[in-house]
Amino acid sequence: MQLSVGDNLGRYEIKAELGSGGMGTVYEAIDSTLQRKVAIKVLKPNALADSDGVERFNREAKAIAGLSHPNIISLYDFAEHDDAHYAVMEYADGTTLDECVESVNRDRAIEIAIGMANGLSAAHEGGIIHRDIKPANILLTKDGTPKLTDFGLARQETADHGQTQVGAVLGTIDYMPPEQLRDATAVDARSDLYSLAATLYQMVTGKSPRTVSYTHLRAHETRHDL
Ligand code: AMP
């Protein structure tokens, strides 16, 4: 579903298109009831794969909505309009870490990593694993606060891309730990910490934590050049 400025999605009025990613398009919008700015991610028609995917996301959305932490983008709502599912989130005025990862100095890199570790700690205490920590999922607000985004959606993306099949790994893999590359169902909180460390590596060295061998993975072939 393509939306234009001025369109309404339920009680939300579209103000601008912010960008597109693997899962869908993100818009800046105004919640007409509460009169506050929000970010809306309208998911691609097949983003949640099937009714199981929607149900899984709905279930997880409840846990994510319960997370309240300065380093996590809050999820306000998850709804459907004309067969399109959309997530309504806290609006973060700023950029993604992906856009400025080259220019982050060491002290700032440590500051961002500590913020992410704090956010992840709260998520893990709530039993939620992100599964796709990477610079593109870290928003930096104008006052410098790092915020993790795409909780739950990341999980769906992982499921959608068939990453549970050995040798069939697609999507963003540079930041994933070997066990997740082998079997996406085998992850726990430690996998997020690995991905956070890979992100910190990139901030400090300027190099991507690229996977050496990622096609047709077998246990002994999975390694990173960290
Ligand atoms: P994504 O599809 O998650 O990669 O997001 C596409 C673009 O939308 C990103 O480059 C961000 O600049 C922007 N964006 C995503 N989430 C938010 C948010 N909660 N607040 C403000 N901008 C966002």
Side-chain angles (χ1 to χ4, degrees), residues 4-191:
S4 307
V5 174
D7 283 353
N8 286 296
L9 192 59
R11 67 193 232 204
Y12 307 101
E13 187 188 334
I14 302 299
K15 290 291 179 193
E17 184 175 320
L18 296 174
S20 275
M23 291 290 284
T25 305
V26 181
Y27 299 93
E28 177 190 321
I30 292 285
D31 177 336
S32 58
T33 306
L34 298 177
Q35 285 297 310
R36 68 174 168 185
K37 210 185 256 193
V38 294
I40 297 185
K41 181 168 267 194
V42 179
L43 304 182
K44 282 182 182 164
N46 60 352
L48 299 178
D50 49 30
S51 55
D52 277 359
V54 175
E55 207 178 295
R56 200 167 49 229
F57 186 81
N58 263 323
R59 226 175 18 240
E60 191 141 315
K62 283 186 198 142
I64 298 157
L67 285 178
S68 171
H69 192 278
N71 298 115
I72 295 176
I73 290 284
S74 298
L75 178 68
Y76 297 148
D77 198 5
F78 180 61
E80 191 178 349
H81 180 85
D82 280 350
D83 288 340
H85 294 272
Y86 61 96
V88 182
M89 304 170 282
E90 168 189 354
Y91 178 85
D93 200 2
T95 56
T96 64
L97 175 59
D98 203 31
E99 291 166 73
C100 61
V101 71
E102 310 288 320
S103 57
V104 169
N105 68 31
R106 203 183 56 170
D107 287 351
R108 179 74 178 126
I110 292 168
E111 208 172 75
I112 292 170
I114 289 172
M116 293 302 87
N118 287 336
L120 275 180
S121 172
H124 293 164
E125 268 171 36
I128 298 165
I129 301 164
H130 189 288
R131 287 172 180 243
D132 198 14
I133 300 291
K134 58 183 178 182
N137 281 337
I138 297 171
L139 296 172
L140 302 173
T141 64
K142 279 198 173 134
D143 73 0
T145 309
K147 288 177 181 268
L148 273 171
T149 187
D150 275 358
F151 270 96
L153 292 177
R155 182 191 173 90
Q156 298 300 334
E157 192 162 29
T158 310
D160 283 351
H161 288 169
Q163 294 187 345
T164 50
Q165 290 167 32
V166 174
V169 179
L170 297 172
T172 313
I173 59 167
D174 288 349
Y175 305 88
M176 282 184 187
E179 72 275 11
Q180 190 175 356
L181 288 169
R182 281 199 294 274
D183 177 1
T185 62
V187 303
D188 60 26
R190 293 169 297 182
S191 311

